[in-house]
Amino acid sequence: MAQLTLDKLESWLWDSANILRGSIDSSDFKNYIFGLLFLKRANDVFEEEVTSFIERDGLSREDAEDEPFLKLPTEARWHSLKKVTENIGVALDKAFAAIERENTKYLEGVLTTTKFGDKDRLSDEVLQRLLRHFNQHSLANKDLYTPDILGDAYEYLIKQFADDAGKKGGEFYSPQGVVKTIVQLIKPQPKHKIYDPTFGSGGMLIESAKYVAQLPGGKVNNNINVSLYGQEKNVGTWAIGKMNMILHNFVEADLRKGDTLTSPQHLENDSLMLFDRVIANPPFSQDAWWGLIEANREVQLDKSGKEKKSTPNYTKEVVDKHGRFHYGIPPRGYADLAFLQHMIASLKQDGKAGVVLPHGTLFRSGAEGSIREKLLKEDLIEGIVGLPPALFYNTSIPASVWIINKSKPEHLKGRVIIIDASKKYKEGSNQNELTDGNVKAILIAYNHFALQESIAEPVPESFARLVPEPEITGNDYNLNISRYIDMHLDKEQIDLVAVKLKLLELESQEDAIDLKLTRLLNELGI
């Protein structure tokens, strides 16, 4: 049997989504496909390892089945499931529950978030077709071109599902170009603890680990020398992220469920755990973000006698026992700077953070303006990168990357790197894209200022500047990029005299050509 290449694997896995079309909403495809993918992979690797223990160590089948890292109970075995013809969804639900029961430490609550037993959504016929489809290829390590390609294929599927889901795709997927840009700006290092408070499907953490793996000391044997942590509010997305980590061999990644703002899960002695790097793409401008208040809103009667819930005063009512909102309470309608302050509070004193926030955080006034002013006065903002429009699934508006540094080097103190990358993109039919070339251009300019790296040509001020604090103060701490970067390139001056002389020269050449052509035609008798 030929080994599966990445292209063939991706095509085969994506074809499974076509079997579901018409049965369920496309935004739900991922939950079912990822579950079956994980089940098939677990079975094939289990069988591969059991066979190895039997042949290499001379164990009996019964003893060999106790050896693999992932325990696979009898009711979850693929060879039995594919023979089921009735109530297939119920059999699958039992299989997933059994795997969780035998692997509680790593899989508790992960595989049972999706229910296959609802026949109104998935008929036995559809599930049988899915099982037959997944039965076409082995996902054992020996049958893959490299074991790593399964993780790559999983990321490909996440991207495809995000494309298919449209706006809902933004809930679990961050564009790869944006992720690479942030990771390479904050530069995680070996032995670092890296944290994503809104980790989605885990792409930012995985990209951070890939970056570390390429550095000296980035790998210890076959393991990447880094610790990964994350929290995710959406349980279905959390489960996808957990499976993603396991398929990328990050079984020890500490991924928790819950609302990071109201109930942060990574604590030490009831205080926030601190990290070397924090990276995130939080939901843009989340409304009513302090659930502890929203759940207890009083119902009042308006003038017409209709019931109306009271609007809480966040400035007075938000009380955070972890002291994260040191710089101020963000408005009820915009959670952006609440997430940013959580990230700052979760950073070690020499830590760095990178976060995607909507453009409005750069210039909105009121409570957000006050918070931004305090952050600038404490010199926490190292850089701002303005991104192109239409990069994200859930909005067409441009966003910005904020780089936070608690220990800025001397040459950056009292200064902020500001880059306008709004024109650095490849246009797409639905979403625009940051190409590798675009990412490189941003990094060259940023590192020129941040690391004082020399470059072949000067960075044009129409693209990037190192802006001094007095200039920002003079703009009332407004970080709107257009105040610091001239987005209108200087038009080339036209020398009208030179242009006229050139036209006269061209006319003279044209007369000479006409004369020569006439002479040749006369010689030919034409």
Side-chain angles (χ1 to χ4, degrees):
M1 182 186 293
Q3 290 181 318
L4 271 175
T5 62
L6 181 59
D7 286 346
K8 188 173 182 180
L9 179 61
E10 289 175 347
S11 176
W12 171 55
L13 292 175
W14 181 240
D15 282 345
S16 63
N18 293 325
I19 297 173
L20 289 175
R21 293 192 191 282
S23 298
I24 58 174
D25 189 86
S26 62
S27 63
D28 292 329
F29 286 177
K30 61 187 184 303
N31 305 84
Y32 297 94
I33 299 301
F34 285 141
L36 288 176
L37 170 61
F38 190 90
L39 180 64
K40 183 62 162 62
R41 167 69 170 172
N43 267 271
D44 291 345
V45 171
F46 179 83
E47 288 298 324
E48 183 178 41
E49 291 180 348
V50 167
T51 301
S52 175
F53 285 120
I54 292 172
E55 295 176 351
R56 187 189 66 202
D57 301 334
L59 298 181
S60 67
R61 173 85 192 186
E62 184 179 1
D63 289 339
E65 288 181 353
D66 289 332
E67 293 297 319
F69 170 78
L70 186 70
K71 308 304 177 189
L72 203 66
T74 305
E75 57 265 52
R77 303 288 169 85
W78 188 263
H79 63 81
S80 298
L81 290 168
K82 69 182 182 182
K83 295 176 184 176
V84 179
T85 56
E86 292 183 350
N87 298 319
I88 299 172
V90 173
L92 286 170
D93 286 340
K94 289 180 178 178
F96 289 125
I99 294 175
E100 282 191 15
R101 186 180 65 244
E102 296 296 321
N103 301 274
T104 304
K105 181 179 178 181
Y106 301 109
L107 290 173
E108 185 176 12
V110 174
L111 303 176
T112 53
T113 56
T114 300
K115 302 301 179 187
F116 285 78
D118 184 353
K119 285 192 175 183
D120 290 334
R121 303 197 78 196
L122 289 174
S123 65
D124 281 333
E125 180 188 1
V126 170
L127 286 173
Q128 198 166 48
R129 286 177 62 200
L130 271 176
L131 290 174
R132 285 174 184 161
H133 182 79
F134 273 95
N135 199 52
Q136 291 176 4
H137 297 287
S138 167
L139 295 175
N141 289 325
K142 64 182 176 61
D143 296 316
L144 301 177
Y145 186 70
T146 68
D148 292 341
I149 69 170
L150 197 65
D152 294 337
Y154 194 94
E155 290 181 44
Y156 163 83
L157 280 181
I158 290 174
K159 168 70 166 66
Q160 293 298 104
F161 286 133
D163 283 342
D164 221 46
K167 271 194 168 186
K168 290 184 179 179
E171 296 174 7
F172 59 89
Y173 179 79
S174 298
Q176 194 65 15
V178 176
V179 176
K180 287 182 177 179
T181 299
I182 300 176
V183 168
Q184 293 181 64
L185 287 176
I186 64 174
K187 296 178 171 51
Q189 299 296 305
K191 299 184 180 180
H192 269 180
K193 293 167 68 175
I194 306 171
Y195 170 59
D196 184 343
T198 57
F199 77 85
S201 54
M204 286 188 157
L205 292 174
I206 289 170
E207 186 62 33
S208 297
K210 287 180 178 179
Y211 178 87
V212 171
Q214 303 303 314
L215 301 175
K219 278 194 169 185
V220 177
N221 299 322
N222 290 324
N223 298 317
I224 299 177
N225 192 11
V226 74
S227 302
L228 304 178
Y229 302 79
Q231 185 167 339
E232 173 57 43
K233 184 177 181 179
N234 183 295
V235 176
T237 303
W238 168 83
I240 290 171
K242 285 279 286 186
M243 286 187 277
N244 195 9
M245 289 294 172
I246 292 172
L247 290 175
H248 278 89
N249 296 317
F250 295 114
V251 293
E252 298 291 345
D254 185 351
L255 307 177
R256 312 278 182 93
K257 289 179 283 189
D259 187 331
T260 301
L261 293 180
T262 57
S263 183
Q265 295 296 302
H266 292 89
L267 305 172
E268 290 177 331
N269 301 321
D270 209 32
S271 296
L272 292 177
M273 189 182 294
L274 300 181
F275 302 93
D276 300 285
R277 295 290 184 270
V278 181
I279 185 169
N281 177 17
F284 284 4
S285 301
Q286 181 179 316
D287 189 20
W289 51 271
W290 195 252
L292 300 175
I293 296 175
E294 299 296 336
N296 299 306
R297 289 169 60 193
E298 294 181 0
V299 176
Q300 301 172 336
L301 296 178
D302 62 16
K303 292 180 180 179
S304 62
K306 291 183 179 179
E307 290 187 349
K308 181 181 179 182
K309 283 190 174 182
S310 61
T311 301
N313 184 333
Y314 270 42
T315 303
K316 293 181 178 179
E317 297 181 49
V318 171
V319 179
D320 176 41
K321 68 178 182 178
H322 300 293
R324 291 170 293 173
F325 307 132
H326 174 67
Y327 304 99
I329 306 295
R332 180 172 180 254
Y334 301 102
D336 309 304
L337 297 187
F339 282 111
L340 179 63
Q341 289 186 83
H342 170 80
M343 295 173 70
I344 292 171
S346 301
L347 272 179
K348 292 180 179 179
Q349 195 52 46
D350 59 350
K352 293 183 74 171
V355 58
V356 184
L357 295 176
H359 235 51
T361 56
L362 299 175
F363 54 79
R364 287 195 291 249
S365 56
E368 290 182 296
S370 175
I371 294 169
R372 192 172 55 245
E373 177 180 343
K374 291 171 185 174
L375 293 174
L376 285 162
K377 283 182 174 178
E378 288 210 9
D379 212 7
L380 289 171
I381 303 173
E382 179 182 286
I384 300 289
V385 179
L387 296 173
L391 289 180
F392 299 88
Y393 288 92
N394 49 352
T395 181
S396 61
I397 63 171
S400 57
V401 173
W402 291 52
I403 302 298
I404 300 296
N405 189 344
K406 279 194 169 181
S407 299
K408 289 167 74 169
E410 197 63 37
H411 71 279
L412 289 181
K413 287 182 178 177
R415 297 175 176 85
V416 177
I417 302 167
I418 296 183
I419 295 179
D420 171 29
S422 60
K423 298 180 180 65
K424 301 288 185 182
Y425 65 92
K426 176 184 176 183
E427 192 169 351
S429 55
N430 295 317
Q431 271 75 42
N432 294 328
E433 177 189 353
L434 272 183
T435 65
D436 288 344
N438 300 145
V439 173
K440 185 178 180 180
I442 293 169
L443 294 174
I444 288 174
Y446 196 95
N447 290 337
H448 170 64
F449 295 119
L451 304 179
Q452 296 183 308
E453 290 182 353
S454 59
I455 51 179
E457 298 179 4
V459 177
E461 289 199 349
S462 58
F463 180 55
R465 286 184 60 210
L466 185 58
V467 181
E469 187 269 339
E471 187 175 346
I472 296 172
T473 303
N475 279 307
D476 294 325
Y477 301 97
N478 186 318
L479 286 175
N480 198 352
I481 291 173
S482 62
R483 296 199 175 205
Y484 306 97
I485 303 288
D486 184 1
M487 298 181 178
H488 305 286
L489 295 173
D490 292 333
K491 294 181 180 179
E492 183 181 353
Q493 296 296 317
I494 299 175
D495 187 336
L496 294 177
V497 175
V499 170
K500 185 176 181 180
L501 290 173
K502 184 65 177 177
L503 286 172
L504 291 171
E505 181 184 346
L506 290 172
E507 288 175 2
S508 176
Q509 291 175 1
E510 185 181 10
D511 290 342
I513 292 169
D514 287 343
L515 185 63
K516 185 176 181 180
L517 180 61
T518 301
R519 187 170 63 250
L520 288 171
L521 290 173
N522 287 336
E523 288 176 0
L524 292 171
I526 299 174

